[in-house]
Amino acid sequence: MTDPDAAVLAAIADDLDAGFAELVRTHQRVVLSVALRVGGRDAEDLAAECFLRAYHALRGYDRSRILALRPRSWLLTILLNTWRNTVRAASRRPVVAVAELPERATAGPSVEQQVADAETRGELAALVSTLPENQRVAVVLRHVVDLPVAEIAAVMAAPEGTVKSHISRGLARLREQYAKEVVR
Amino acid sequence: MMAHDETPDQLTAALGGLAAPLSLDLTTRLFGRWTTVPGPVGELFLAYTDVGVSYIRTAASVRGRAEVFREHFHQRFNRPLQHVAAVPAGLFPDAARAQEAPVDLRTLTSFERDVLTATREIPVGQVRPYAWIAKAIGRPKAVRAVGTALGNNPVPVLIPCHRVVRADGHLGQYVFGADVKEDLLRAEESNVDEMRALADARRAVVGHDGVVCYPSCDRIRSVPAASRRAFRTVAQAVQAGYRPCERCGPVA
């Protein structure tokens, strides 16, 4: 666990609402990214539901239980459970929902490059959304939000070898189709 | 194959670009904001969301303590709260414009929302019985459920459930107690004493010039007592040749 996590957890233990604001600020991008690329449609609803479930749980935790949390893994586990329970129950498939805006702007790529990147992103997002569930979850956690394999194993409740295999197969499948799209 | 996966390449770099935009912020969606505002009969604790006002308690009902208000809010909404210095303009207007204020009733049932929406139609300074609300929402037999829904009103004062009274003309119960209900009605210049006198005499409606009204209707209030005739029920007034007022819509 990193130091920022310890500070956020201590803040939650001292004042739940103030600390929770920190938790949201610190982890919302990862939660939203996974909601977007694994869940797809209604990603903001899914991410918000995840945080509200986390809040509900925190209200019932005592100090020692709060301080023992690994917040990112914990939030992502809640997110995936929420998604499986609600969204998948409605048998919805992920789509490219949020506008593919070039967000990492300023000093760097030209406007043309950003537009090209955005188009590529849209295509790649569509490809990711077609991956089988385990491969999609593993690839998104590893390469979209950059989690270490050990943490993905914890979130997916699977051995690291299995996680690596999901990532590897997912990437192979993407690489095959991505090459077709890009080298066109 | 494994080694290849862990080496950054065009594909993995592109996957890194699929993260959500940095600009997205869920804080407004997740947190309620709260502050205190001056109300018609003392200070109010008020919470709101990005949709509108979601929770109102009198200072007395939370013993003037923020932590009591927050605890009630948490139990009801299961959502975090942030304190703000002042309520945004238009969110808590005076009684005359309260009907336009945005409210967040998402946690309620559609029946409860219907009841509260109908309640907002009652003019300032007037009252209607529970049965009037039940009829207005097309559920004339659900009088008791209307009372329950009003008791569960998350935004009293702003949605004027204090303007809903018993069929016999007595003021009835209120979420913050009967005294506060009476204070609120007096603060908006309802004819509380007149309504009580009529109720004590077992009269619920008042007729004048061929029209029968609730005693708080603005049509009847300026009419001198000597020119009125009070009835126990709307049906009796109709039998005596009066027609129900189209402004206050007394129900049989």
Side-chain angles (χ1 to χ4, degrees):
Chain A
M1 187 160 62
T2 55
D3 285 337
D5 281 342
V8 168
L9 293 174
I12 289 173
D14 290 341
D15 178 340
L16 174 56
D17 289 12
F20 191 74
E22 277 302 309
L23 183 78
V24 172
R25 269 193 287 279
T26 312
H27 293 292
Q28 64 179 343
R29 189 161 188 231
V30 163
V31 170
L32 274 163
S33 297
V34 175
L36 180 63
R37 297 312 175 192
V38 171
R41 197 193 305 270
D42 306 328
E44 280 193 59
D45 291 347
L46 177 59
E49 178 64 22
C50 161
F51 276 110
L52 288 177
R53 286 187 187 201
Y55 181 79
H56 182 65
L58 288 169
R59 284 192 68 213
Y61 287 5
D62 62 18
R63 186 177 186 90
S64 61
R65 187 155 181 200
I66 290 170
L67 295 180
L69 286 172
R70 294 173 179 275
R72 183 170 68 181
S73 318
W74 182 63
L75 286 168
L76 290 173
T77 304
I78 295 172
L79 179 79
L80 292 176
N81 284 338
T82 308
W83 169 63
R84 291 195 188 98
N85 292 345
T86 60
V87 180
R88 201 178 60 174
S91 71
R92 282 183 271 190
R93 290 289 295 174
V95 294
V96 186
V98 171
E100 299 291 343
L101 297 170
E103 79 274 10
R104 285 173 190 152
T106 66
S110 66
V111 173
E112 291 78 6
Q113 187 57 48
Q114 285 184 44
V115 171
D117 284 353
E119 286 171 359
T120 306
R121 251 203 315 272
E123 289 164 6
L124 181 56
L127 291 180
V128 170
S129 74
T130 63
L131 290 178
E133 182 184 317
N134 280 334
Q135 291 178 20
R136 187 164 76 245
V137 171
V139 166
V140 167
L141 292 179
R142 179 69 195 93
H143 289 293
V144 177
V145 295
D146 205 26
L147 258 60
V149 170
E151 191 173 344
I152 300 172
V155 170
M156 294 184 75
E160 288 191 25
T162 308
V163 167
K164 284 181 182 168
S165 158
H166 288 322
I167 297 171
S168 168
R169 286 186 194 155
L171 282 184
R173 197 158 160 159
L174 288 178
R175 192 165 278 123
E176 191 183 314
Q177 303 185 45
Y178 188 57
K180 280 186 221 153
E181 300 272 352
V182 174
V183 185
R184 230 176 357 193
Chain B
M1 183 89 189
M2 277 307 166
H4 184 58
D5 288 348
E6 293 303 318
T7 310
D9 64 1
Q10 200 187 1
L11 174 62
T12 54
L15 283 168
L18 292 183
L22 276 171
S23 55
L24 286 176
D25 187 2
L26 292 169
T27 308
T28 310
R29 259 187 89 151
L30 296 171
F31 280 75
R33 254 65 65 80
W34 80 274
T35 189
T36 53
V37 292
V41 294
E43 188 177 54
L44 298 171
F45 284 66
L46 178 149
Y48 62 92
T49 67
D50 49 340
V51 173
V53 179
S54 55
Y55 198 50
I56 294 178
R57 297 285 103 173
T58 59
S61 73
V62 294
R63 289 172 277 146
R65 287 165 55 192
E67 63 270 28
V68 177
F69 175 75
R70 296 169 65 100
E71 184 55 29
H72 289 187
F73 179 91
H74 287 145
Q75 278 177 13
R76 181 158 181 154
F77 296 97
N78 189 31
R79 209 172 255 279
L81 265 181
Q82 282 176 329
H83 183 258
V84 291
V87 69
L91 221 52
F92 191 72
D94 57 24
R97 286 174 300 138
Q99 212 180 329
E100 301 154 23
V103 289
D104 182 353
L105 305 177
R106 284 178 295 180
T107 62
L108 301 182
T109 65
S110 63
F111 177 81
E112 288 171 324
R113 276 197 294 273
D114 287 350
V115 167
L116 296 182
T117 303
T119 301
R120 299 188 95 180
E121 301 293 325
I122 306 172
V124 180
Q126 300 192 32
V127 301
R128 301 286 183 268
Y130 295 99
W132 184 90
I133 301 282
K135 189 185 175 193
I137 63 170
R139 300 281 303 276
K141 292 190 190 301
V143 178
R144 188 175 289 267
V146 165
T148 305
L150 288 167
N152 195 36
N153 177 9
V155 288
V157 182
L158 188 60
I159 291 186
C161 55
H162 60 277
R163 295 184 199 143
V164 187
V165 301
R166 280 165 42 171
D168 63 9
H170 285 291
L171 297 185
Q173 279 308 309
Y174 187 53
V175 52
F176 303 129
D179 290 350
V180 176
K181 189 173 195 173
E182 181 170 338
D183 292 346
L184 282 165
L185 288 171
R186 287 190 191 281
E188 55 189 47
E189 297 179 343
S190 283
N191 48 342
V192 172
D193 295 321
E194 192 175 22
M195 288 191 284
R196 179 167 290 141
L198 283 162
D200 286 344
R202 309 192 67 172
R203 296 290 179 271
V205 289
V206 181
H208 168 72
D209 197 18
V211 181
V212 61
C213 300
Y214 289 124
S216 63
C217 179
D218 57 356
R219 182 205 289 271
I220 202 84
R221 273 187 71 177
S222 56
V223 175
S227 324
R228 303 175 178 182
R229 186 173 163 197
F231 295 93
R232 207 157 153 179
T233 65
V234 176
Q236 285 174 1
V238 169
Q239 214 162 33
Y242 292 78
R243 64 173 171 81
C245 172
E246 73 285 358
R247 288 191 223 165
C248 65
V251 298

